[in-house]
Amino acid sequence: MDAINVDINHLKKGEVSLGTSIMAVTFKDGVILGADSRTTTGTYIANRVTDKLTQIQDKIWCCRSGSAADTQAVADIVKYHLQMYKANNNGKSPSTKIAASIFQELCYNNKDNLSAGIICAGYDEKNGGEVYTIPLGGSLHQHEYAISGSGSVFIYGYCKKNYKPNMTKDETVNFIKTSLSQAIKWDGSSGGVIRMIVLTKSGIERLLFLPDEYVNA
Amino acid sequence: MNHNPFHWGRPSDSTYGPYNQQIAHASNVNPMARQQQQSDFPTMHTQRPMMTGTSVLAIKYQDGIVIAADNMGSYGSLMKLDNVERLLKVGQDTIVGISGDLSDLQAIQRILNDLEIDESYDAGDDEDALAAGLKANHVHEYLTRIMYNRRSKMDPLWNACIVAGFDDEGKSFLKYVDLLGVAFASPTLATGFGAHLAIPLLRQRVDSEADVKKLTKADAIQLIKDCMKVLFYRDARSLDKYSMAVLSESDQKVEFHKDVKVEDMKWAFAKGIKGYGMPQL
């Protein structure tokens, strides 16, 4: 039994994978999360309209990639912890950093049993939009923007070249739409519709882009 | 006396490991030739498919056959090429649709091209002689022999093929052959994902040979289009652009449609799907 050269990307029997393209981008007024909608079991598309953008708190959301079961379980636990935080702190909302920290604790301490790549992003008045990425090993990294999932490998160059700090909402939506459009084009495990969540001072906005709209972005 | 050196006393395998046979067989004869002679098996290059094509679908209708295959060339999960033509025209009126490894598809292309040249050698420019020459049943039989013999050498062409065309009497011919040399005929055929998702849909309309005469050309084309749509929904290695060939028995002709796009897809309902369990925004 080889404990060093283990295939960590191997799914357990019957497990479903979120072969995915996800990203979160901070901009002038807050942060936008984006994701595709394909869930695969091998090469069969088990769900072509998945919602990979999950609400953890009012204005703290996460993008899920990896095992569908693992990420759902972890997200549910983090949601619980943040509800307890709010209850025990007089209704004070937790910061994005706290949410990301709880994600990190769970992913790091259970690293042998989890296949979860998560991007945690949120907006608060004091810090504006923030993006934290928690890759497979359970480390925590803060970025201005983050990309993840199997499809992200195809857009590292494009995103690096085209990201600008402090973009407007429309510029950011287009940046995410074009980036995910390319990720979906090249990655067989990504596809379907592009979902986005916009988190700003004004509130939470859900956006949806169908294939006809993004295929030539 | 036992003259077999391998049966003379030697240290136990469990302590010193198995005997190194190369010592006993060391010689200065050409090593490559040596290897061929020693082995009980033929030289095996069984392979894994690298660049691949997904499903091919075909159905018989009242006046012929409709066959389709998409234009995707996948490299594992990388959707590398979107301009791969997987329906090959052989002779005057035979279409061979090939799925599986693309390098082997090109090898089959070269083989069938040579066959075409050999068979049309005496016909020259005479259209009638050419038309009477290489037919679909000949192509299929030839291809089957090749596929089976390659598998028997443990060196398969890693493909699943559907041959569509007309036989010597001008009747519709539709038959399958794959990397194992398995060959069979049916009014509805599909390879890869198509075998799981499309065959049930095709068989709903054409369950047996008797139903073939009830299916019109327009309905057959629409049925294949619908199946290609379902495959684009559910096969993670498919493309929404494909080629379709319509073969008609009455005039023994092939209509080749390139760059056909999947249409009428339903995606708008995704708006109503939020979260995965408890209600969320």
Side-chain angles (χ1 to χ4, degrees), chain A residues 38 40 43-49 51 53-55 61 64 72 75-76 154 185-189 192-193 195 204 206 208 210-211, chain B residues 72 77-82 193 197 231-237 240 265-271 273-276 278-281:
Chain A
R38 182 173 284 190
T40 49
T43 48
Y44 176 67
I45 299 170
N47 188 352
R48 62 183 174 100
V49 288
D51 184 9
L53 303 174
T54 302
Q55 189 179 35
W61 288 64
R64 302 180 290 116
Q72 285 179 7
D76 290 345
F154 305 109
K185 182 182 159 106
W186 296 108
D187 182 25
S189 311
V193 302
R195 295 190 192 274
I204 308 163
R206 228 185 214 288
L208 179 71
L210 307 186
Chain B
M72 175 52 66
S77 68
L78 169 58
M79 311 294 266
K80 203 160 197 206
L81 302 173
D82 61 1
F193 249 85
L197 293 178
L231 287 172
F232 181 64
Y233 279 153
R234 253 53 235 222
D235 177 5
R237 304 283 179 264
D240 58 353
M265 289 196 282
K266 291 194 168 40
W267 287 103
F269 71 96
K271 190 147 185 270
I273 290 165
K274 294 169 188 164
Y276 51 82
M278 305 126 291
Q280 69 162 59
L281 229 69

Side-chain angles (χ1 to χ4, degrees), chain A residues 176-195:
Chain A
I176 296 179
K177 200 196 299 180
T178 317
S179 309
L180 290 182
S181 163
Q182 283 300 111
I184 287 170
K185 182 182 159 106
W186 296 108
D187 182 25
S189 311
S190 304
V193 302
I194 293 180
R195 295 190 192 274

Side-chain angles (χ1 to χ4, degrees), chain B residues 61-62 66 205 215-225 246:
Chain B
Y61 68 99
Q62 65 193 193
V66 181
R205 303 291 294 276
L215 189 65
T216 62
K217 179 172 162 180
D219 283 351
I221 290 173
Q222 190 51 48
L223 183 56
I224 291 283
K225 283 187 169 173
V246 183

Side-chain angles (χ1 to χ4, degrees), chain A residues 13 26 82 110 189 207:
Chain A
K13 187 176 161 186
T26 56
L82 294 182
N110 294 293
S189 311
L207 296 171

